[in-house]
Amino acid sequence: MYNNVYSCIILFVIFTDTFISVYGADVSAAQALKFVNSRMTNANQINKKPHINTMTRKNLNVYQVKTGVYAYASGLAVDTDGSDPDPDPDHQDETRWKDANGKNLGAHRVPYYVLGDTCPEKTRPCPYFFYRERNIAGLQFALFFYRGQVKGAVFGDTQGDSTTSTSKNDARELGEASVKTAQLLGINSSGTNGGVDSGVVVVIFSGSQWVVKGTNDNLNSKAQALVQKALNLLK
């Protein structure tokens, strides 16, 4: 009897080791971020001209860390746009992308990020990271890393070149994300005095299989459900 039990234990250990070697154990946030940082090199930079960190106005670059996976390090400027009301004087009622019900995204409910609406140079290929040339669509999934945390978000709004009484926009900017994104990461989520200057790493997964479909009420949960799947690719 004991021999049978011992044999079963040995077989279980062998099976477990084989399974892990073939399929791999789950990748942690720390392991994934280490991998991403190791691939953010000059050789993997895809923009020919620098982008702008929305919070600091300093230059930043975008890197292809794996085929179809793009990353950049930035701050986080809080975007309050969409169907949720907000006291921010720059608040707009609309977002570039809508939910499954055709409603504008709610910045207080949906973790979303913002990319440039146009190629500033109006040329092809664009010398900047331009989503239209990278198989990136509305509600495209991304990971946000910040201080040991990782959260999922979707591509929800775009940044144009408009000028208002309180801000001057630039399509080269990167680093803007919704109130909900900031809240999930533990960042001050005020649209007037919130955000952080640095420490955020954004990893965007291109392709139709990474487009998240849902409503204002469930896009957050659907995005978070994809986090581990995305982490497991970053190795």
Side-chain angles (χ1 to χ4, degrees):
M1 175 180 176
Y2 291 109
N3 287 337
N4 289 337
V5 172
Y6 182 75
S7 297
C8 288
I9 292 173
I10 294 298
L11 288 173
F12 176 77
V13 171
I14 292 173
F15 172 80
T16 302
D17 287 345
T18 302
F19 182 88
I20 291 175
S21 66
V22 173
Y23 296 100
D26 280 344
V27 174
S28 69
Q31 290 170 327
L33 183 58
K34 182 178 180 180
F35 170 83
V36 170
N37 285 333
S38 73
R39 301 301 302 273
M40 295 172 74
T41 63
N42 290 338
N44 294 325
Q45 181 180 320
I46 60 172
N47 56 299
K48 303 300 183 183
K49 294 186 177 182
H51 284 269
I52 300 170
N53 182 333
T54 302
M55 287 295 286
T56 64
R57 315 308 297 172
K58 293 181 179 179
N59 291 346
L60 65 83
N61 298 308
V62 181
Y63 307 87
Q64 182 168 251
V65 297
K66 289 190 76 169
T67 301
V69 182
Y70 306 97
Y72 56 89
S74 67
L76 190 150
V78 179
D79 185 12
T80 63
D81 289 350
S83 55
D84 294 334
D86 193 278
D88 181 359
D90 282 331
H91 171 76
Q92 303 293 317
D93 293 334
E94 297 183 354
T95 53
R96 174 66 176 84
W97 309 111
K98 317 301 180 186
D99 75 355
N101 292 328
K103 303 293 185 181
N104 291 297
L105 302 182
H108 292 258
R109 288 175 288 167
V110 179
Y112 68 73
Y113 60 95
V114 181
L115 297 176
D117 188 49
T118 62
C119 176
E121 299 291 324
K122 304 293 190 295
T123 59
R124 290 187 179 182
C126 183
Y128 300 94
F129 171 67
F130 185 37
Y131 76 92
R132 293 179 185 271
E133 296 180 350
R134 301 291 173 178
N135 199 20
I136 293 171
L139 305 183
Q140 197 79 42
F141 178 80
L143 291 174
F144 271 67
F145 293 87
Y146 180 70
R147 291 189 175 180
Q149 302 177 82
V150 61
K151 301 296 180 182
V154 298
F155 178 24
D157 207 0
T158 56
Q159 173 78 286
D161 293 314
S162 62
T163 299
T164 70
S165 59
T166 56
S167 65
K168 183 177 181 180
N169 300 312
D170 192 319
R172 296 173 297 172
E173 293 179 17
L174 290 173
E176 191 170 3
S178 69
V179 172
K180 185 65 175 181
T181 309
Q183 290 174 343
L184 289 173
L185 295 170
I187 295 171
N188 182 342
S189 61
S190 168
T192 55
N193 59 18
V196 291
D197 288 347
S198 62
V200 177
V201 174
V202 181
V203 183
I204 302 172
F205 295 76
S206 67
S208 59
Q209 71 274 24
W210 288 100
V211 174
V212 185
K213 298 179 181 179
T215 67
N216 276 299
D217 293 328
N218 63 24
L219 276 169
N220 177 38
S221 61
K222 288 192 171 188
Q224 305 321 315
L226 290 173
V227 168
Q228 190 60 61
K229 178 182 177 181
L231 288 174
N232 288 345
L233 293 179
L234 300 177
K235 60 182 179 180

